[in-house]
């Protein structure tokens, strides 16, 4: 199949599941414009309102992740300074990150 046909089939399938994405053009007799729907000036919230105001991550997730990352870096750096082994420091930092994530998640509530 040609790429144009695949794009047309995909667009048709999306339109069938979500409804029309653009407003249809009013017909004007005597004009020779394309027969397809006209592109209107729809904002993204009008096209997909269910995802218009959802944040990528919640404030709670960002707080827990940032605090756990800081804790992991500090523990990893202190382990590297004390032991002098980069591999051991990485393992200690990742272990501290995981433990901090679980602990902070319960501490903040959730």
């Amino acid at each position: 199949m040609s790429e144009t046909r695949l794009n047309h089939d995909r667009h048709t399938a999306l339109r069938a599941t979500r409804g029309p994405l653009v407003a249809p053009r009013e017909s004007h007799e005597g004009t020779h414009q394309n027969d397809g729907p006209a592109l209107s000036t729809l904002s993204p919230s009008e096209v997909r309102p269910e995802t218009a105001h959802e944040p990528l991550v919640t404030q709670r997730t960002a707080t827990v992740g940032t605090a756990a990352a800081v804790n992991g870096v500090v523990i990893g750096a202190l382990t590297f300074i004390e032991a002098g082994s980069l591999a051991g420091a990485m393992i200690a930092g990742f272990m501290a990150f995981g433990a901090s994530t679980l602990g902070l998640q319960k501490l903040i509530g959730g």
Side-chain angles (χ1 to χ4, degrees):
M1 287 181 101
S2 69
E3 186 176 335
T4 306
R5 180 71 180 156
L6 289 175
N7 286 337
H8 176 71
D9 291 344
R10 183 176 45 196
H11 178 69
T12 304
L14 283 174
R15 190 173 22 187
T17 59
R18 294 186 184 158
L21 297 177
V22 293
R25 179 181 299 180
E26 294 180 19
S27 64
H28 297 285
E29 293 182 20
T31 61
H32 299 286
Q33 297 177 353
N34 64 1
D35 294 329
L39 294 177
S40 63
T41 55
L42 295 177
S43 70
S45 63
E46 292 174 329
V47 175
R48 285 194 263 172
E50 68 275 0
T51 60
H53 300 289
E54 291 180 11
L56 184 60
V57 293
T58 63
Q59 184 177 6
R60 179 176 171 267
T61 302
T63 303
V64 168
T66 303
V70 168
N71 192 20
V73 168
V74 168
I75 295 299
L78 290 175
T79 303
F80 180 72
I81 291 170
E82 182 62 31
S85 170
L86 182 61
M90 297 275 298
I91 291 172
F94 285 130
M95 294 283 286
F97 175 78
S100 297
T101 302
L102 294 175
L104 288 169
Q105 183 179 5
K106 289 187 183 224
L107 181 69
I108 292 178

